Amino acid sequence: MATHKLLLLPGDGIGPEVMREVEKIVGWFRKRGVGFETETDLVGGSAYDAHKVSITDAAMARADAADAVLFGAVGGPKWDGVPYEVRPEAGLLRLRKELGLFANLRPAICYPALADASSLKREVVEGLDIVIVRELTGGVYFGEPKELVTLENGQQRAVDTQVYTTGEIERITRVAFDLAKKRRNKVSSSEKSNVMKTGVLWRQVVSRIHKAEFSDVALEHVLADNCAMQLVKNPKQFDVIVTDNLFGDILSDIAAMLTGSLGMLPSASLGAEDPQTGKRKALYEPVHGSAPDIAGRGLANPIAMIGSFGMALRYSFGLLDEADRLDKAIANVLAAGIRTKDIAGPGMNAVGTQDVGDAIVKELEALS
Ligand code: IPM
Ligand code: MN
């Protein structure tokens, strides 16, 4: 039997709580004969408290050796004063960069049972099924120079650099088109080519790859501000949206709210396929953050985290039946009205984090 090595990095805030629910799910699959091996390590503020860094070299080595990393969330007001280089978020950025996780897939699916939990009208979001493909290792997140300096006149000056090369755009473009071919065959590429040189290059490269390799897929270019507006106005016009690191960060928070709650959106961050083994480095994380305001109270919605494990089943381990079963279990639990506070409807009794995890395990049992 193949063993799948998982590294769990629960992180801070609600991270550990939602990760505990994933461990229940992993345990259930293990009992059913799927070979999962798990290790746990620190990242973010919790790593800083223990080691004065946001992730240790040892944890990085474990992440590199794992078949998949499951990541909770990092950050919180407790670490507001720590040096910038070791702030909690730096641990996540180091993982993304050093593991080469350039392709971030953020699906936004509106479960029928949740259409009323969205802040938008039911008819706008019901049946929504889109994916944001976010470039994750380039752009303004990593561009140099990146600095904050004090000038001679006493003023301060801050610089971030937005930078993309042809190769970086080509590879993320191919991920988006490949994905669209398995879906509704449409890619919307989003940038600001009306203002930014990186946007001009982005549009050129996407068009060229489209023409040369994917002319059977529909392509449109949408300026990023218009894309944000269209996402709120009529999100179902989209299938796959491909965009840079910063726009992807922003657009995916919008997409998350369309589905009812930020607590619903899973994500997969994938590296390039190793030509020898066919494997990809991969990290799976919910789109939501550490939510320090509700941490430790058992209120957090674990579905984005559990859904992220579902994406690991699908993308890292090729366990498609298992992934389908987990998705079905989540949908059934939602339909049965077992929901945390963020998505509970009016007059509905909200349950806790653990109740949702337990209900999903029970539903997995019932489905098999
Ligand atoms: C995300 C988060 C991260 C990002 C933060 C925590 C660094 O917001 O994954 O969307 O900006 O990429
Ligand atoms: Mn974000």
Side-chain angles (χ1 to χ4, degrees), residues 50-81:
H51 305 294
K52 291 283 172 283
V53 289
S54 52
I55 186 161
T56 60
D57 293 344
M60 283 302 301
R62 283 174 136 182
D64 195 51
D67 294 315
V69 178
L70 300 185
F71 184 98
V74 288
K78 183 178 172 198
W79 300 283
D80 277 352

Side-chain angles (χ1 to χ4, degrees), residues 354-368:
Q354 303 187 20
D355 302 311
V356 174
D358 291 341
I360 292 173
V361 169
K362 221 165 127 196
E363 196 54 38
L364 280 171
E365 196 72 48
L367 286 170
S368 42

Side-chain angles (χ1 to χ4, degrees), residues 28-84:
W28 185 83
F29 279 111
R30 199 187 275 134
K31 230 175 51 201
R32 305 259 315 171
V34 187
F36 286 118
E37 234 173 61
T38 59
E39 289 186 319
T40 304
D41 215 317
L42 299 171
V43 67
S46 57
Y48 179 79
D49 289 344
H51 305 294
K52 291 283 172 283
V53 289
S54 52
I55 186 161
T56 60
D57 293 344
M60 283 302 301
R62 283 174 136 182
D64 195 51
D67 294 315
V69 178
L70 300 185
F71 184 98
V74 288
K78 183 178 172 198
W79 300 283
D80 277 352
V82 309
Y84 186 79

Side-chain angles (χ1 to χ4, degrees), residues 92 96 104 106 134 141 245-246 248-253 262 285-289:
L92 175 58
R96 288 175 179 170
N104 183 213
R106 299 191 155 185
R134 170 187 176 193
Y141 273 63
N245 204 343
L246 182 62
D249 181 45
I250 296 166
L251 295 176
S252 62
D253 263 33
L262 210 45
E285 60 170 314
V287 170
H288 64 68

